[in-house]
Amino acid sequence: MSSLFDCSDESQLLPGMRAARRAIARGELVVLPTDTVYGVAADAFDAAAVQRLLDAKGRGRQSPPPVLVSGVNTLRALVADVPAAVERLVEEFWPGGLTIVLPAQPSLTWDLGETHGTVAVRMPANRIALELLEETGPLAVSSANLTGKNAAVFVDDARAMLGESVEIYLDGGPSARGISSTIVDATSLVGGDEPVVRVLREGAVERARLREVLGDLLEPDPAEDPPPGATL
């Protein structure tokens, strides 16, 4: 049976974190708060646990989960290279709502799904999430919802959708932002012929702020639809 811990209650916080660490070590799923929305987490290096996460969400291997990390040093261990432009993004937006896709370190022995040799990495700005990541190492984390449903901003929303497929629920109160992270693809900055950063999903970090950091390395903004009756 799933267990829920109220992390605002000090008497439940430590037992909850301990239970979450043990669940991750056993290959089970944990729902945890982040600065964007609630996430469902599994050991990134346990292929069966990652598949359990995908199954719980009703999601296929063609949609691999991002990986949450506790700091930049872990990012460096997971990716093939950290280009200067990505260093600037990390300095400006981490911890926070920006997920960065880069070529994965080839020596890693994991199976996140059909990643095509890449990994999406983020450092969340949430104390509970960061403390857990410090203990467990990198976690495969996707939004805590069924595929096609709204991302959970309260732990009860996540519990209603994921139920007993999750072993431990950590309640950190309502999500601070309630908006999923922005995802950018920076893979072409690593040995690409035409280096450019593409926005794969609009979210917590706006394009204008990305432009301030990246300049012309950011893809052109999408053209706005013309007003009714206008000609192109």
Side-chain angles (χ1 to χ4, degrees), residues 4-18 170:
L4 183 146
F5 295 87
D6 179 359
C7 294
S8 66
D9 182 343
E10 288 297 324
S11 68
Q12 295 188 44
L13 175 59
L14 289 180
M17 297 295 281
R18 189 178 302 118
L170 299 178

Side-chain angles (χ1 to χ4, degrees), residues 65-230:
V67 174
L68 294 192
V69 298
S70 59
V72 178
N73 287 338
T74 308
L75 167 70
R76 298 186 196 284
L78 297 182
V79 303
D81 188 27
V82 182
V86 172
E87 295 271 13
R88 297 196 300 271
L89 288 175
V90 166
E91 182 177 351
E92 181 69 23
F93 299 115
W94 279 18
L98 182 66
T99 300
I100 304 171
V101 180
L102 285 166
Q105 174 60 249
S107 63
L108 291 175
T109 55
W110 61 5
D111 182 6
L112 298 172
E114 297 176 13
T115 64
H116 304 288
T118 67
V119 60
V121 189
R122 184 169 87 88
M123 179 184 179
N126 179 277
R127 179 177 64 90
I128 294 169
L130 289 173
E131 287 183 6
L132 185 60
L133 288 162
E134 288 281 0
E135 295 287 341
T136 63
L139 293 175
V141 181
S142 185
S143 56
N145 59 288
L146 296 175
T147 297
K149 302 292 186 180
N150 291 333
V153 295
F154 295 91
V155 74
D156 288 342
D157 298 336
R159 201 174 190 185
M161 287 185 276
L162 299 177
E164 296 299 315
S165 65
V166 172
E167 180 71 12
I168 302 295
Y169 289 87
L170 299 178
D171 183 2
S175 299
R177 294 294 299 273
I179 303 171
S180 297
S181 69
T182 295
I183 302 177
V184 297
D185 180 356
T187 54
S188 70
L189 301 185
V190 183
D193 294 333
E194 297 182 6
V196 65
V197 176
R198 294 183 171 85
V199 178
L200 302 182
R201 181 178 74 189
E202 304 269 1
V205 177
E206 297 178 353
R207 276 180 180 265
R209 296 194 63 202
L210 295 173
R211 180 78 64 196
E212 291 174 0
V213 175
L214 295 172
D216 290 342
L217 278 178
L218 183 66
E219 67 179 352
D221 293 340
E224 295 184 2
D225 292 333

Side-chain angles (χ1 to χ4, degrees), residues 33-48:
T34 79
D35 50 317
T36 54
V37 295
Y38 272 83
V40 55
D43 182 350
F45 292 94
D46 184 333

